[in-house]
Amino acid sequence: MNLILTSFVESLLTTTSQPLRTMRTVLTLVVVLVCSSPVRPGFLEEDQDVLIPDDWSRVGPVGPSEQLELTFALRQQGVDLLGETLRRVSDPDSPQYAKYLRLEEVSSLVRPSDLTQKVVRRWLQSHGVSACLSVLTRDFLQCTMPAQVAEALLPGARFHRYVRDGRSQVRSSAPYSVHDEVHQHLDFVGGLHRLPPRGQDVASHGRNRHPKAGLHLGVTPAILRARYNLTASDVGSSQNNSQAVAQFLEQYYHPADLAEFMSMFGGSFPHLSLVDRVVGTQGAGRAGLEASLDVEYIMSTGANIPTWVFTNPGRHESQEPFLQWMVLISNTSALPWVHTVSYGDDEDSLSNAYMTRINTEFMKAGVRGISLLFASGDSGAGCRHLTKEENCFRPSFPASSPYVTTVGGTSFKNPFKMTYEVTDYISGGGFSNVFKTPDYQASAVKAYMQTVGGGLPPLTYFNTSGRAYPDLAALSDNYWVVSNRMPVPWVSGTSASTPVVGGMLALINDRRLLKGLPPLGFLNPRLYKLQGEAMFDVTEGCHLSCLDETVQGRGFCAAPSWDPVTGWGTPNYPALLAALLDQ
């Protein structure tokens, strides 16, 4: 791997790994304003309520000399130009379409000013903090310091140790501030907040356990390839192509499981049975169902394409694994063209400053031609309880980011027969409370609102002007997975649909590269211009939401064309290939 990094990135590969909770969905703008905290001078993440999830138990304060690792996100330059560049390279009608930037060019665009770098380093050094490592783009610093120094550096912070299931994390349960002179030079400090909620995105139990004789017994690679019209020849062959999955919460795949899975289910198409590259340290514990699912299905759909696994099994208690993965992606020069990630968190549990900066990191990937796919989640529209009588939907991030492609879930109308697809009621979807509707989807969202009309949930439950998701979908119900050498049936979740779509996009990239075309990059502007062309439209079913008297557990419902449950529908691979191979 060609890394243009300091040793900081090497340290990222050994940090603690916890999943970010998979997916919820949507709130109204009015409610966001009511629930926001007042802005306090010097506080970087003033809108974030520091809440400790119920399943984490506080052990007590850390010792004053205990070493912590904190990540300082320096304020970047050129963010508006970065966004405009992404628009141009992602819009098929732009003369700059697919003319991607090299990492060095991205670095020149966003690198913090000399003043910002000098002020932040001087501030750290004035507190005796000199053990800092940086990255090529100079927009992150990872620094090691004793807890008492961290608390002096960040007034208000109080570090405690929390435990769950035998794993411990160090976080501050109180808001933090920074000195006035550095406030304008930092976006946020990582390693203080965001205790990982429990977030397993897959269920190892089916919703229909008793198939009738003569019908298929669950989703396998053969079922997926038949449903989405992939033939035995639809496999990778380009030397310059690769795909990747990311794993957290000490989730590991086992090579023996992958080999067994391909032996059982990969006989009808050429495939690879070994991961090409593991970035990080592969743990020696039991295989995780999530990790097994991701690897097995991206490699059986994106068959014969070299696959990377980003794994973060380290144990450092004061690091945020998703943030560390994002920094790594943003500063690695040679990467796979498609990445799928099956984790996320509730928007309302994260600060706007944090999410906005992560969006910038997504833009940095997009302008380089990298496609990022995130699962939409398994909680339907989600539900946030505001008062005894008042609820609203709960959106998820990064699913709600305007700069990623979000994948929802479907199931067969008859769960054990290859019929047409309907909404999987767990499929995450809705409208962001933080990010506005991007231009590329504005007409699609407007058409949905007009089509559904009176069938919409009450407008007090969601933000009609927010970024809407998902963008597309795939089957997410009743998968077979091999984990710890055992075939496991009835695995469900958008963790399944996301690597399936990722594998298909990697196949399309393969054909594009063989034809001398650049990779797809950020797909959404082009996907929405297709207006459902090359997709199987999903028009039946609703997903779940608040169990109250108003919506009675029903969120949004599928409709013709785009909808906030299944997006544009599921891919008809040959048609999608043809539509995306013309420029």
Side-chain angles (χ1 to χ4, degrees):
M1 179 174 56
N2 180 17
L3 293 178
I4 305 183
L5 287 165
T6 65
S7 58
F8 167 36
V9 168
E10 296 178 0
S11 73
L12 300 185
L13 302 179
T14 58
T15 54
T16 304
S17 167
Q18 299 283 350
L20 302 168
R21 173 164 41 202
T22 55
M23 328 313 172
R24 300 286 186 261
T25 318
V26 189
L27 186 61
T28 68
L29 182 60
V30 172
V31 172
V32 171
L33 293 174
V34 170
C35 294
S36 296
S37 302
V39 175
R40 292 162 288 195
F43 285 79
L44 289 176
E45 300 183 78
E46 68 277 352
D47 59 332
Q48 180 176 15
D49 293 327
V50 184
L51 300 176
I52 303 301
D54 293 339
D55 52 354
W56 285 95
S57 300
R58 188 165 79 175
V59 176
V62 301
S65 61
E66 185 159 343
Q67 295 293 303
L68 306 179
E69 288 185 14
L70 302 179
T71 301
F72 296 84
L74 278 66
R75 190 70 51 86
Q76 298 155 316
Q77 298 187 103
V79 174
D80 290 343
L81 181 56
L82 177 69
E84 177 60 19
T85 302
L86 178 62
R87 186 193 65 78
R88 291 175 179 175
V89 301
S90 306
D91 182 353
D93 295 331
S94 166
Q96 299 301 310
Y97 178 67
K99 295 181 179 178
Y100 302 123
L101 305 185
R102 294 177 293 107
L103 178 57
E104 294 83 356
E105 294 173 310
V106 177
S107 176
S108 298
L109 186 61
V110 302
R111 183 180 292 134
S113 68
D114 291 342
L115 177 62
T116 288
Q117 296 181 60
K118 184 182 297 184
V119 167
V120 172
R121 284 190 177 273
R122 185 175 59 200
W123 169 64
L124 292 168
Q125 290 166 2
S126 71
H127 286 76
V129 179
S130 57
C132 295
L133 300 168
S134 187
V135 294
L136 173 75
T137 50
R138 305 296 183 213
D139 49 6
F140 287 99
L141 285 172
Q142 186 178 36
C143 303
T144 303
M145 68 198 74
Q148 63 181 357
V149 172
E151 291 180 354
L153 188 71
L154 304 166
R158 295 293 181 265
F159 290 93
H160 291 79
R161 178 166 283 104
Y162 298 85
V163 296
R164 183 184 69 189
D165 298 337
R167 299 188 178 102
S168 62
Q169 294 273 272
V170 171
R171 291 291 188 272
S172 170
S173 59
Y176 67 96
S177 61
V178 297
H179 194 279
D180 287 346
E181 72 170 4
V182 297
H183 187 272
Q184 63 181 317
H185 299 289
L186 289 172
D187 286 330
F188 67 88
V189 181
L192 285 94
H193 299 160
R194 293 174 285 276
L195 259 176
R198 193 180 302 281
Q200 189 74 342
D201 192 42
V202 295
S204 58
H205 51 82
R207 295 182 283 276
N208 301 278
R209 292 174 177 246
H210 306 290
K212 297 179 181 179
L215 305 179
H216 74 75
L217 300 180
V219 173
T220 65
I223 296 295
L224 290 167
R225 296 178 77 85
R227 168 57 187 160
Y228 298 131
N229 294 320
L230 285 90
T231 68
S233 62
D234 289 318
V235 297
S237 59
S238 171
Q239 298 300 308
N240 301 315
N241 194 22
S242 55
Q243 58 192 2
V245 297
Q247 300 173 354
F248 309 105
L249 186 60
E250 298 184 346
Q251 280 276 329
Y252 312 117
Y253 91 97
H254 280 182
D257 290 341
L258 176 59
E260 181 72 13
F261 178 85
M262 289 302 186
S263 175
M264 292 179 64
F265 299 117
S268 63
F269 54 90
H271 60 267
L272 301 174
S273 295
L274 292 172
V275 164
D276 188 61
R277 193 167 303 185
V278 175
V279 183
T281 304
Q282 180 72 0
R286 289 174 57 81
L289 192 61
E290 172 75 56
S292 302
L293 173 69
D294 288 347
V295 172
E296 289 165 9
Y297 278 92
I298 198 171
M299 291 187 67
S300 55
T301 308
N304 226 39
I305 295 175
T307 301
W308 294 22
V309 174
F310 286 83
T311 183
N312 193 353
R315 301 288 300 190
H316 200 289
E317 298 171 306
S318 61
Q319 277 298 354
E320 300 177 42
F322 177 79
L323 174 61
Q324 304 311 305
W325 170 79
M326 193 74 258
V327 175
L328 177 61
I329 294 297
S330 297
N331 288 276
T332 303
S333 61
L335 285 169
W337 295 116
V338 173
H339 296 250
T340 74
V341 185
S342 299
Y343 302 100
D345 214 337
D346 299 329
E347 268 190 356
D348 57 82
S349 72
L350 303 169
S351 72
N352 287 5
Y354 173 83
M355 290 186 285
T356 299
R357 176 56 182 268
I358 293 298
N359 271 347
T360 301
E361 303 307 307
F362 292 153
M363 287 192 282
K364 286 163 63 176
V367 297
R368 295 170 58 196
I370 296 169
S371 301
L372 298 177
L373 280 70
F374 281 83
S376 71
D378 298 343
S379 300
C383 187
R384 187 181 183 191
H385 305 291
L386 301 174
T387 66
K388 260 186 179 178
E389 292 82 24
E390 189 178 10
N391 298 318
C392 56
F393 295 160
R394 198 171 204 176
S396 172
F397 182 84
S400 65
S401 168
Y403 306 109
V404 303
T405 299
T406 304
V407 183
T410 63
S411 59
F412 285 123
K413 177 68 172 178
N414 180 328
F416 297 99
K417 187 175 181 180
M418 202 182 306
T419 56
Y420 64 91
E421 293 167 74
V422 298
T423 294
D424 187 344
Y425 71 89
I426 65 170
S427 179
F431 297 78
S432 172
N433 290 313
V434 179
F435 309 111
K436 67 178 184 179
T437 307
D439 290 343
Y440 61 74
Q441 69 169 188
S443 61
V445 173
K446 181 179 180 181
Y448 173 76
M449 297 291 195
Q450 293 174 340
T451 299
V452 177
L456 284 169
L459 299 185
T460 55
Y461 277 71
F462 67 101
N463 174 23
T464 58
S465 61
R467 188 306 204 218
Y469 68 96
D471 302 301
L472 73 172
L475 286 163
S476 57
D477 189 23
N478 289 349
Y479 277 62
W480 281 89
V481 178
V482 174
S483 189
N484 297 297
R485 304 300 298 273
M486 292 291 294
V488 181
W490 323 129
V491 177
S492 301
T494 53
S495 284
S497 55
T498 305
V500 167
V501 173
M504 281 189 266
L505 295 183
L507 286 177
I508 294 172
N509 272 343
D510 204 87
R511 292 289 298 274
R512 288 178 62 87
L513 292 168
L514 289 172
K515 195 177 177 182
L517 296 171
L520 291 168
F522 177 45
L523 180 65
N524 289 12
R526 189 164 186 180
L527 176 67
Y528 280 80
K529 285 194 174 182
L530 292 176
Q531 297 185 324
E533 177 188 348
M535 308 294 287
F536 294 118
D537 196 7
V538 178
T539 60
E540 288 187 26
C542 307
H543 62 186
L544 55 85
S545 72
C546 300
L547 293 171
D548 59 27
E549 292 183 1
T550 303
V551 295
Q552 299 180 349
R554 192 178 86 162
F556 298 99
C557 296
S561 297
W562 180 90
D563 59 67
V565 189
T566 62
W568 287 105
T570 62
N572 179 4
Y573 176 75
L576 188 61
L577 173 65
L580 296 178
L581 203 58
D582 61 354
Q583 71 178 106

